[in-house]
Amino acid sequence: MQETNLNPIATLNGTKVFPSISQPKAVGCFSVGPQREFIPSGENLKYLSLPKTRHNDDGHHSSRSLRLDLNEGFEIRVPKPDSAKEERIDHLLRFIVGNLDRLRSGEVGGPRSKVLNCDFVCFRGLLRMVMCTPYERRTNWIILATRYRGTIYLCAKDTPEKLHEEAHQTEQQKRFCYYGFKFEQHVLTDHPNNRNPDTTAPVQEAEEFCAMFSTTLENKRILYGAEMDGILSATEPLDKHNLSPELLNQQEFVEVKVKRRETNQRQADNFYRFKTRNWWCQSFLVNVGKIFVGLRDDRGIVDEIREMSLKKLDRDSRQYWSASVCVSFGSQFLSQVAEVMQGVDCKHTVYRFEYDSSRFRNIFYSVQSGNAESFLPDWYCTEVK
């Protein structure tokens, strides 16, 4: 492995100014079905339909008369199939192929000319993971990178530690993961303003609605997909099979979360120290300004829903982490990848970038030749010529 000059910890000391980034814009959407099949429409778009609420004195939306038992239906849930692990970034690639006319760069030339009007393609989760790295002391990651026809494709790869954790998940850990899906079933509906959703049906953990976004981060154009929870309920339902980019950008997307209600100051401090930076990065990248949080007890009962603004989340977390550090490190990582891969343009050449906070100060990389780590399928490369 070779060492880059990118040290996540050093970023904490040198970053003051928020980097230049354009407002992310939706460029399209797709859905993922219960068998993880790609659906080229907004079929799985959901609307936020909260139970009747009132305002607390602190300005939060509150439903203190609520009693949502997030354990219900755990035994009959339909989990995400194991095959999802093999998808890599295939759903993003299918979207690109279906929208090539809108995504082409317009360049003409030889076999190395740029085909797409972006420098990077990836999932939002990968960007969020990289952005949070300067503050991570326990989470390692592996990112695979391939440049093809002028665009760098990034794909996260599970670390051995993550694979071990998933293989040895306890029943309680699985239940905690389920809580998030169950809460979504209570507050996200197929039709606007449905205050009485059917929560008896099995939770389908595999289904998703994804929006595709583009932004420019310090002259680097990024195209990325993000699973979106829902939109603030419109008065009239949208035509989910004809969601144009213009229509998508008119909607107010929201995030839906569940967290344990804190009972002491230490728990509250840990929430702002460890959790909020992930929430902020995740939301910032897709123009989400409001997060609706179900507060649960140790039994999995939600008795209150709070609305948190992204601006307040950032403001209340500043003694623990800096948004400018997160976004700056994301930009530095992308620049480092582009620099390391300069002059390389081959679907079979994969660069493996790796961060292990317990072993290294800097990010390392290695070059993988052959098809062992290759993740751009032939059907995609044939289309993107």
Side-chain angles (χ1 to χ4, degrees), residues 216-230:
T216 301
L217 174 57
E218 295 189 315
N219 299 318
K220 296 174 285 288
R221 295 169 297 176
I222 316 168
L223 176 68
Y224 51 100
E227 181 182 358
M228 307 299 291
D229 289 340

Side-chain angles (χ1 to χ4, degrees), residues 25-29 95 99 102-103 212-214 223 245 248-249:
K25 294 291 185 184
V27 298
C29 65
F95 172 85
N99 295 271
R102 293 194 292 112
L103 300 174
M212 295 291 294
F213 289 86
S214 66
L223 176 68
L248 286 169
N249 284 304

Side-chain angles (χ1 to χ4, degrees), residues 263-281:
T263 56
N264 57 54
Q265 188 59 45
R266 181 171 176 272
Q267 291 173 356
D269 289 343
N270 284 340
F271 169 67
Y272 287 105
R273 179 178 287 112
F274 299 114
K275 187 74 73 173
T276 56
R277 67 171 175 269
N278 280 291
W279 288 15
W280 185 89
C281 290

